[in-house]
Amino acid sequence: MFGVLLEKTMDGQRYIDWLLSGLGWTLALAFFGWWIAFAIGVVVGIGRTVRSSFFGGLARLYVEIFRNIPVLVQMFLWYFVLPELLPSAMGDWIKQIPPPWGSFFPALWCLSLYTAARIAEQVRAGIEALPKGQPEAAAALGLSRYLTYRHIILPQALRLIVPSLTSEVMGIYKNTSVALTIGMMELTAQARQISDATFQTFTAFGAATLIYLTLALIAYQTMMLIDRAVRIPGTAPGREAVGLDIDDSILESPLPGNMEVVK
Amino acid sequence: MNSLDFSIVAQAWPYLWSGLLLSLSLTVAAFLIGMLLGTLFALVQHFELRILSQVVRSYVALMRSIPLILVLFWFFFLVPIVLGHLSGNGRPIPTGATYTALITFGLFEAAYYSEIIRVGLRAVNKGQFEACQALALSTFDTYHHVVLPQVFRVASPIILSQTIILFQDTSLVYVLSLTDLLGAASKLAQLNGRLVEMYLAAAAVYLILSSVASQFVASLRKRYAVAGTYR
Amino acid sequence: MQQERAVNPYDRFPMVIVEHLIKRFGSFNALSDVNLTVARGEKIVLCGPSGSGKSTLIRCINHIEKHDYGRIVVDGVELTDRIRDINSVRCEVGMVFQSFNLFPHLSVVENCMLAPLKVRGLPQSEALDRAMALLRKVRIHDQAKKYPAQLSGGQQQRVAIARALCMQPKIMLFDEPTSALDPEMVKEVLETMVELANDGMTMVCVTHEMGFAREVADRVVFMDCGSIVEEGDPSTFFRAPNTERARVFLNQIVH
């Protein structure tokens, strides 16, 4: 069924090379986007918990804006609107960035900022879930606010949210497909292109689906490994510690623990 | 940089409004289909019906692992074929993009809603089931009158959050060239060349509607946190 | 360090002075006009029914709760809103909590070393030596590499005491240190506290352990409804309290 992927394309490659190149762009967007998003998300998430109403308000504004506009619309804002709003010399320079990069950077920026807003909310939830006694004990030892965040709050909050970050990891690689709307030839776009060229829609989409499933499995397993690696000795797996009340972090946890079914 | 002229948005408003109506109707319809199927899926898994629950689990895992755009492409391709088979003559039946989108979103969201409800079912206190048994309620009555109402209530903030995401996701019907809010803005932008104003206007509408809805969810969450029942 | 203390001009003054302290939570008066002086080396036991304000009082002393009105002077430094004052006071005041509040992501010895390293700026080796010495003192040095969740409650509380002592505080505050413990573990924690008292540490303990109060307290302070109702030396207080409220309270905790 996948034989057609090995056939030659008009440009002398094989269709499978198209898919692999698409996979490459998907991975590049997801990987670099993730680390930018994580860095911004941690900072904004901390901002949501500080006492300063200025930084708190700024962080909240950030989250509200980037969470409440669809990714696709944000994609268009960065790609179409931003160059028009900048001084024309700069806008023209942006528009002249050659093809893959002209789409890649707006897409990367867009996915990073969008995902950062979601990570920020997870970080905030993690910080707020810590017992009040922790910052109190740190204060009683004379630790400053900065030292308390650095050594007491963040190390615990980040451990706590590893399971719920899994769904953000999966979210960012799935959202890379939105970049096809601004001309990024990532995995889904390549699958559609193969389908259009060969009329083997089932094969083209099937191959892309299998690749996405593999990525999901890898993301899931990696996060499980990280969760296990950073677990504090003597504590139960994260879930039990949080308790039974339903909240997003539990519900947005990824695959229902039975990925083997779809392997 | 051209000077911005937002009066163009006011002129275009009727068209944008009709686009927004499509976005909202897609959201509502997909919500209804998604909740109905999602509840069924959740119950199938809750009762651990042997083969069926395996099938449902795989379906949910699959939907949660692949991008919505790819799902839209799949359904755009598959729905006419499946409908053709169902109708008996085996030839694909052309289906409008709107119906395809509707079916896709309904089935896609069902996977997400079912996860919410499944976790909700797991969180219902064991004592509730025991009390129902003690009262000799049938399984159907237990779930219909006691368990599911509690699940819907506790999970309502999360169900609504998911629905806000659904509303935002409907913008992806752009790839099917449908005229939803974003589609309308994009088509006008191509006609009159005012893409800055058009896209900013669309973004503002999404931002306002989603923010208001998330404020509502936040207040709901707070209210339930105070009530603190159903543990 | 010792010499420095000897020339400290505040040495002649009390360790803690609390004057006209008022603390409100919303409309609830947690503390109304509390006055208390703790001399150097003095051991005070604070007791009283729950909600009487004893925990709030000692939490005000190191500014974990911010007081609304009145004066608190610790070791010659008045507690204001200035961060520098607060931090310098907190370095001299050790605190032990009811729920231990060990840092779960740090090992026992790391718990003890964190503040000396980061706040006092001690070199690693010195912080380690000091931590191990104090863990030995509370007889838990063989568990130094373990994490809090791997210890029993009594062991955790002894680590918490060692952690506070690592800052070489001039006064130790205990906020119901044994209330969260299973009965069989109370003794080991109390023994540690008695030893600490015998070393001459200034201590303010919120506790209902009357045996402990009899053995070490110089003074028992009885609080009710946010005020100090009665104070006196333990033998008199337990044998013949002056006030009806203290009598009722003592009757309740004996039974």
Side-chain angles (χ1 to χ4, degrees), chain B residues 170-188:
Chain B
T170 57
S171 65
L172 291 175
V173 297
Y174 172 87
V175 300
L176 303 181
S177 304
L178 280 182
T179 313
D180 70 322
L181 175 58
L182 180 63
S186 150
K187 279 169 191 167
L188 284 175

mmCIF file with all atom_site columns, all heavy atoms in Angstrom, chain B residues 170-188:
data_model
loop_
_atom_site.group_PDB
_atom_site.id
_atom_site.type_symbol
_atom_site.label_atom_id
_atom_site.label_alt_id
_atom_site.label_comp_id
_atom_site.label_asym_id
_atom_site.label_entity_id
_atom_site.label_seq_id
_atom_site.pdbx_PDB_ins_code
_atom_site.Cartn_x
_atom_site.Cartn_y
_atom_site.Cartn_z
_atom_site.occupancy
_atom_site.B_iso_or_equiv
_atom_site.pdbx_formal_charge
_atom_site.auth_seq_id
_atom_site.auth_comp_id
_atom_site.auth_asym_id
_atom_site.auth_atom_id
_atom_site.pdbx_PDB_model_num
ATOM 1   N N   . THR B 1 170 ? -12.671 26.076 15.173 1.00 0.00 ? 170 THR B N   1
ATOM 2   C CA  . THR B 1 170 ? -13.494 26.115 13.963 1.00 0.00 ? 170 THR B CA  1
ATOM 3   C C   . THR B 1 170 ? -12.857 27.015 12.910 1.00 0.00 ? 170 THR B C   1
ATOM 4   O O   . THR B 1 170 ? -13.175 26.895 11.728 1.00 0.00 ? 170 THR B O   1
ATOM 5   C CB  . THR B 1 170 ? -14.923 26.616 14.239 1.00 0.00 ? 170 THR B CB  1
ATOM 6   O OG1 . THR B 1 170 ? -14.851 27.913 14.830 1.00 0.00 ? 170 THR B OG1 1
ATOM 7   C CG2 . THR B 1 170 ? -15.694 25.672 15.140 1.00 0.00 ? 170 THR B CG2 1
ATOM 8   N N   . SER B 1 171 ? -11.945 27.902 13.325 1.00 0.00 ? 171 SER B N   1
ATOM 9   C CA  . SER B 1 171 ? -11.281 28.756 12.326 1.00 0.00 ? 171 SER B CA  1
ATOM 10  C C   . SER B 1 171 ? -10.502 27.916 11.321 1.00 0.00 ? 171 SER B C   1
ATOM 11  O O   . SER B 1 171 ? -10.203 28.383 10.218 1.00 0.00 ? 171 SER B O   1
ATOM 12  C CB  . SER B 1 171 ? -10.347 29.751 13.020 1.00 0.00 ? 171 SER B CB  1
ATOM 13  O OG  . SER B 1 171 ? -9.303  29.065 13.665 1.00 0.00 ? 171 SER B OG  1
ATOM 14  N N   . LEU B 1 172 ? -10.184 26.666 11.682 1.00 0.00 ? 172 LEU B N   1
ATOM 15  C CA  . LEU B 1 172 ? -9.396  25.833 10.772 1.00 0.00 ? 172 LEU B CA  1
ATOM 16  C C   . LEU B 1 172 ? -10.173 25.410 9.532  1.00 0.00 ? 172 LEU B C   1
ATOM 17  O O   . LEU B 1 172 ? -9.589  24.896 8.580  1.00 0.00 ? 172 LEU B O   1
ATOM 18  C CB  . LEU B 1 172 ? -8.869  24.597 11.515 1.00 0.00 ? 172 LEU B CB  1
ATOM 19  C CG  . LEU B 1 172 ? -7.811  24.895 12.568 1.00 0.00 ? 172 LEU B CG  1
ATOM 20  C CD1 . LEU B 1 172 ? -7.445  23.639 13.334 1.00 0.00 ? 172 LEU B CD1 1
ATOM 21  C CD2 . LEU B 1 172 ? -6.566  25.496 11.937 1.00 0.00 ? 172 LEU B CD2 1
ATOM 22  N N   . VAL B 1 173 ? -11.509 25.614 9.519  1.00 0.00 ? 173 VAL B N   1
ATOM 23  C CA  . VAL B 1 173 ? -12.267 25.295 8.295  1.00 0.00 ? 173 VAL B CA  1
ATOM 24  C C   . VAL B 1 173 ? -11.802 26.188 7.152  1.00 0.00 ? 173 VAL B C   1
ATOM 25  O O   . VAL B 1 173 ? -12.198 25.977 6.005  1.00 0.00 ? 173 VAL B O   1
ATOM 26  C CB  . VAL B 1 173 ? -13.795 25.440 8.477  1.00 0.00 ? 173 VAL B CB  1
ATOM 27  C CG1 . VAL B 1 173 ? -14.305 24.456 9.506  1.00 0.00 ? 173 VAL B CG1 1
ATOM 28  C CG2 . VAL B 1 173 ? -14.165 26.862 8.835  1.00 0.00 ? 173 VAL B CG2 1
ATOM 29  N N   . TYR B 1 174 ? -10.936 27.159 7.466  1.00 0.00 ? 174 TYR B N   1
ATOM 30  C CA  . TYR B 1 174 ? -10.273 27.943 6.426  1.00 0.00 ? 174 TYR B CA  1
ATOM 31  C C   . TYR B 1 174 ? -9.667  27.013 5.363  1.00 0.00 ? 174 TYR B C   1
ATOM 32  O O   . TYR B 1 174 ? -9.722  27.320 4.170  1.00 0.00 ? 174 TYR B O   1
ATOM 33  C CB  . TYR B 1 174 ? -9.187  28.797 7.082  1.00 0.00 ? 174 TYR B CB  1
ATOM 34  C CG  . TYR B 1 174 ? -8.282  29.516 6.119  1.00 0.00 ? 174 TYR B CG  1
ATOM 35  C CD1 . TYR B 1 174 ? -8.622  30.767 5.611  1.00 0.00 ? 174 TYR B CD1 1
ATOM 36  C CD2 . TYR B 1 174 ? -7.074  28.938 5.729  1.00 0.00 ? 174 TYR B CD2 1
ATOM 37  C CE1 . TYR B 1 174 ? -7.785  31.427 4.726  1.00 0.00 ? 174 TYR B CE1 1
ATOM 38  C CE2 . TYR B 1 174 ? -6.229  29.589 4.846  1.00 0.00 ? 174 TYR B CE2 1
ATOM 39  C CZ  . TYR B 1 174 ? -6.579  30.822 4.348  1.00 0.00 ? 174 TYR B CZ  1
ATOM 40  O OH  . TYR B 1 174 ? -5.755  31.467 3.486  1.00 0.00 ? 174 TYR B OH  1
ATOM 41  N N   . VAL B 1 175 ? -9.089  25.877 5.810  1.00 0.00 ? 175 VAL B N   1
ATOM 42  C CA  . VAL B 1 175 ? -8.436  24.994 4.840  1.00 0.00 ? 175 VAL B CA  1
ATOM 43  C C   . VAL B 1 175 ? -9.453  24.290 3.942  1.00 0.00 ? 175 VAL B C   1
ATOM 44  O O   . VAL B 1 175 ? -9.091  23.700 2.936  1.00 0.00 ? 175 VAL B O   1
ATOM 45  C CB  . VAL B 1 175 ? -7.529  23.932 5.523  1.00 0.00 ? 175 VAL B CB  1
ATOM 46  C CG1 . VAL B 1 175 ? -6.439  24.598 6.326  1.00 0.00 ? 175 VAL B CG1 1
ATOM 47  C CG2 . VAL B 1 175 ? -8.342  22.971 6.370  1.00 0.00 ? 175 VAL B CG2 1
ATOM 48  N N   . LEU B 1 176 ? -10.740 24.307 4.317  1.00 0.00 ? 176 LEU B N   1
ATOM 49  C CA  . LEU B 1 176 ? -11.784 23.765 3.433  1.00 0.00 ? 176 LEU B CA  1
ATOM 50  C C   . LEU B 1 176 ? -12.443 24.888 2.652  1.00 0.00 ? 176 LEU B C   1
ATOM 51  O O   . LEU B 1 176 ? -13.474 24.688 2.023  1.00 0.00 ? 176 LEU B O   1
ATOM 52  C CB  . LEU B 1 176 ? -12.841 23.018 4.251  1.00 0.00 ? 176 LEU B CB  1
ATOM 53  C CG  . LEU B 1 176 ? -12.364 21.865 5.141  1.00 0.00 ? 176 LEU B CG  1
ATOM 54  C CD1 . LEU B 1 176 ? -13.551 21.231 5.868  1.00 0.00 ? 176 LEU B CD1 1
ATOM 55  C CD2 . LEU B 1 176 ? -11.640 20.813 4.313  1.00 0.00 ? 176 LEU B CD2 1
ATOM 56  N N   . SER B 1 177 ? -11.880 26.099 2.722  1.00 0.00 ? 177 SER B N   1
ATOM 57  C CA  . SER B 1 177 ? -12.405 27.292 2.034  1.00 0.00 ? 177 SER B CA  1
ATOM 58  C C   . SER B 1 177 ? -13.822 27.645 2.445  1.00 0.00 ? 177 SER B C   1
ATOM 59  O O   . SER B 1 177 ? -14.581 28.205 1.666  1.00 0.00 ? 177 SER B O   1
ATOM 60  C CB  . SER B 1 177 ? -12.364 27.113 0.511  1.00 0.00 ? 177 SER B CB  1
ATOM 61  O OG  . SER B 1 177 ? -11.074 26.807 0.114  1.00 0.00 ? 177 SER B OG  1
ATOM 62  N N   . LEU B 1 178 ? -14.186 27.309 3.686  1.00 0.00 ? 178 LEU B N   1
ATOM 63  C CA  . LEU B 1 178 ? -15.516 27.706 4.165  1.00 0.00 ? 178 LEU B CA  1
ATOM 64  C C   . LEU B 1 178 ? -15.487 29.179 4.581  1.00 0.00 ? 178 LEU B C   1
ATOM 65  O O   . LEU B 1 178 ? -14.440 29.724 4.913  1.00 0.00 ? 178 LEU B O   1
ATOM 66  C CB  . LEU B 1 178 ? -15.920 26.868 5.373  1.00 0.00 ? 178 LEU B CB  1
ATOM 67  C CG  . LEU B 1 178 ? -16.448 25.478 5.072  1.00 0.00 ? 178 LEU B CG  1
ATOM 68  C CD1 . LEU B 1 178 ? -16.854 24.792 6.365  1.00 0.00 ? 178 LEU B CD1 1
ATOM 69  C CD2 . LEU B 1 178 ? -17.634 25.567 4.129  1.00 0.00 ? 178 LEU B CD2 1
ATOM 70  N N   . THR B 1 179 ? -16.668 29.817 4.570  1.00 0.00 ? 179 THR B N   1
ATOM 71  C CA  . THR B 1 179 ? -16.729 31.223 4.942  1.00 0.00 ? 179 THR B CA  1
ATOM 72  C C   . THR B 1 179 ? -17.184 31.370 6.392  1.00 0.00 ? 179 THR B C   1
ATOM 73  O O   . THR B 1 179 ? -18.294 31.791 6.669  1.00 0.00 ? 179 THR B O   1
ATOM 74  C CB  . THR B 1 179 ? -17.670 31.982 4.005  1.00 0.00 ? 179 THR B CB  1
ATOM 75  O OG1 . THR B 1 179 ? -17.364 31.609 2.666  1.00 0.00 ? 179 THR B OG1 1
ATOM 76  C CG2 . THR B 1 179 ? -17.495 33.476 4.160  1.00 0.00 ? 179 THR B CG2 1
ATOM 77  N N   . ASP B 1 180 ? -16.317 30.971 7.312  1.00 0.00 ? 180 ASP B N   1
ATOM 78  C CA  . ASP B 1 180 ? -16.586 31.265 8.720  1.00 0.00 ? 180 ASP B CA  1
ATOM 79  C C   . ASP B 1 180 ? -16.049 32.670 8.992  1.00 0.00 ? 180 ASP B C   1
ATOM 80  O O   . ASP B 1 180 ? -15.733 33.389 8.042  1.00 0.00 ? 180 ASP B O   1
ATOM 81  C CB  . ASP B 1 180 ? -15.907 30.228 9.620  1.00 0.00 ? 180 ASP B CB  1
ATOM 82  C CG  . ASP B 1 180 ? -14.402 30.384 9.607  1.00 0.00 ? 180 ASP B CG  1
ATOM 83  O OD1 . ASP B 1 180 ? -13.876 30.676 8.522  1.00 0.00 ? 180 ASP B OD1 1
ATOM 84  O OD2 . ASP B 1 180 ? -13.764 30.233 10.658 1.00 0.00 ? 180 ASP B OD2 1
ATOM 85  N N   . LEU B 1 181 ? -15.944 33.058 10.262 1.00 0.00 ? 181 LEU B N   1
ATOM 86  C CA  . LEU B 1 181 ? -15.475 34.422 10.548 1.00 0.00 ? 181 LEU B CA  1
ATOM 87  C C   . LEU B 1 181 ? -14.128 34.712 9.885  1.00 0.00 ? 181 LEU B C   1
ATOM 88  O O   . LEU B 1 181 ? -13.969 35.708 9.177  1.00 0.00 ? 181 LEU B O   1
ATOM 89  C CB  . LEU B 1 181 ? -15.375 34.623 12.069 1.00 0.00 ? 181 LEU B CB  1
ATOM 90  C CG  . LEU B 1 181 ? -14.783 35.952 12.523 1.00 0.00 ? 181 LEU B CG  1
ATOM 91  C CD1 . LEU B 1 181 ? -15.573 37.119 11.989 1.00 0.00 ? 181 LEU B CD1 1
ATOM 92  C CD2 . LEU B 1 181 ? -14.702 36.007 14.045 1.00 0.00 ? 181 LEU B CD2 1
ATOM 93  N N   . LEU B 1 182 ? -13.163 33.810 10.100 1.00 0.00 ? 182 LEU B N   1
ATOM 94  C CA  . LEU B 1 182 ? -11.847 34.043 9.509  1.00 0.00 ? 182 LEU B CA  1
ATOM 95  C C   . LEU B 1 182 ? -11.917 33.963 7.984  1.00 0.00 ? 182 LEU B C   1
ATOM 96  O O   . LEU B 1 182 ? -11.296 34.767 7.279  1.00 0.00 ? 182 LEU B O   1
ATOM 97  C CB  . LEU B 1 182 ? -10.839 33.019 10.047 1.00 0.00 ? 182 LEU B CB  1
ATOM 98  C CG  . LEU B 1 182 ? -9.423  33.170 9.499  1.00 0.00 ? 182 LEU B CG  1
ATOM 99  C CD1 . LEU B 1 182 ? -8.809  34.488 9.893  1.00 0.00 ? 182 LEU B CD1 1
ATOM 100 C CD2 . LEU B 1 182 ? -8.539  32.021 9.955  1.00 0.00 ? 182 LEU B CD2 1
ATOM 101 N N   . GLY B 1 183 ? -12.691 32.997 7.480  1.00 0.00 ? 183 GLY B N   1
ATOM 102 C CA  . GLY B 1 183 ? -12.839 32.850 6.033  1.00 0.00 ? 183 GLY B CA  1
ATOM 103 C C   . GLY B 1 183 ? -13.406 34.117 5.413  1.00 0.00 ? 183 GLY B C   1
ATOM 104 O O   . GLY B 1 183 ? -12.933 34.588 4.376  1.00 0.00 ? 183 GLY B O   1
ATOM 105 N N   . ALA B 1 184 ? -14.416 34.681 6.064  1.00 0.00 ? 184 ALA B N   1
ATOM 106 C CA  . ALA B 1 184 ? -15.035 35.912 5.562  1.00 0.00 ? 184 ALA B CA  1
ATOM 107 C C   . ALA B 1 184 ? -14.010 37.039 5.555  1.00 0.00 ? 184 ALA B C   1
ATOM 108 O O   . ALA B 1 184 ? -13.867 37.761 4.551  1.00 0.00 ? 184 ALA B O   1
ATOM 109 C CB  . ALA B 1 184 ? -16.227 36.285 6.431  1.00 0.00 ? 184 ALA B CB  1
ATOM 110 N N   . ALA B 1 185 ? -13.271 37.160 6.664  1.00 0.00 ? 185 ALA B N   1
ATOM 111 C CA  . ALA B 1 185 ? -12.266 38.223 6.740  1.00 0.00 ? 185 ALA B CA  1
ATOM 112 C C   . ALA B 1 185 ? -11.227 38.046 5.644  1.00 0.00 ? 185 ALA B C   1
ATOM 113 O O   . ALA B 1 185 ? -10.831 39.004 4.977  1.00 0.00 ? 185 ALA B O   1
ATOM 114 C CB  . ALA B 1 185 ? -11.599 38.195 8.121  1.00 0.00 ? 185 ALA B CB  1
ATOM 115 N N   . SER B 1 186 ? -10.809 36.804 5.443  1.00 0.00 ? 186 SER B N   1
ATOM 116 C CA  . SER B 1 186 ? -9.767  36.539 4.464  1.00 0.00 ? 186 SER B CA  1
ATOM 117 C C   . SER B 1 186 ? -10.257 36.821 3.044  1.00 0.00 ? 186 SER B C   1
ATOM 118 O O   . SER B 1 186 ? -9.527  37.380 2.221  1.00 0.00 ? 186 SER B O   1
ATOM 119 C CB  . SER B 1 186 ? -9.306  35.090 4.633  1.00 0.00 ? 186 SER B CB  1
ATOM 120 O OG  . SER B 1 186 ? -8.862  34.564 3.437  1.00 0.00 ? 186 SER B OG  1
ATOM 121 N N   . LYS B 1 187 ? -11.512 36.423 2.753  1.00 0.00 ? 187 LYS B N   1
ATOM 122 C CA  . LYS B 1 187 ? -12.035 36.669 1.400  1.00 0.00 ? 187 LYS B CA  1
ATOM 123 C C   . LYS B 1 187 ? -12.165 38.167 1.127  1.00 0.00 ? 187 LYS B C   1
ATOM 124 O O   . LYS B 1 187 ? -11.801 38.646 0.041  1.00 0.00 ? 187 LYS B O   1
ATOM 125 C CB  . LYS B 1 187 ? -13.385 35.973 1.221  1.00 0.00 ? 187 LYS B CB  1
ATOM 126 C CG  . LYS B 1 187 ? -13.191 34.494 0.910  1.00 0.00 ? 187 LYS B CG  1
ATOM 127 C CD  . LYS B 1 187 ? -14.452 33.689 0.978  1.00 0.00 ? 187 LYS B CD  1
ATOM 128 C CE  . LYS B 1 187 ? -14.077 32.207 0.912  1.00 0.00 ? 187 LYS B CE  1
ATOM 129 N NZ  . LYS B 1 187 ? -15.189 31.329 1.270  1.00 0.00 ? 187 LYS B NZ  1
ATOM 130 N N   . LEU B 1 188 ? -12.671 38.905 2.128  1.00 0.00 ? 188 LEU B N   1
ATOM 131 C CA  . LEU B 1 188 ? -12.774 40.355 1.949  1.00 0.00 ? 188 LEU B CA  1
ATOM 132 C C   . LEU B 1 188 ? -11.395 40.982 1.790  1.00 0.00 ? 188 LEU B C   1
ATOM 133 O O   . LEU B 1 188 ? -11.198 41.868 0.966  1.00 0.00 ? 188 LEU B O   1
ATOM 134 C CB  . LEU B 1 188 ? -13.481 40.980 3.149  1.00 0.00 ? 188 LEU B CB  1
ATOM 135 C CG  . LEU B 1 188 ? -14.998 40.793 3.189  1.00 0.00 ? 188 LEU B CG  1
ATOM 136 C CD1 . LEU B 1 188 ? -15.554 41.358 4.481  1.00 0.00 ? 188 LEU B CD1 1
ATOM 137 C CD2 . LEU B 1 188 ? -15.638 41.489 2.000  1.00 0.00 ? 188 LEU B CD2 1
#
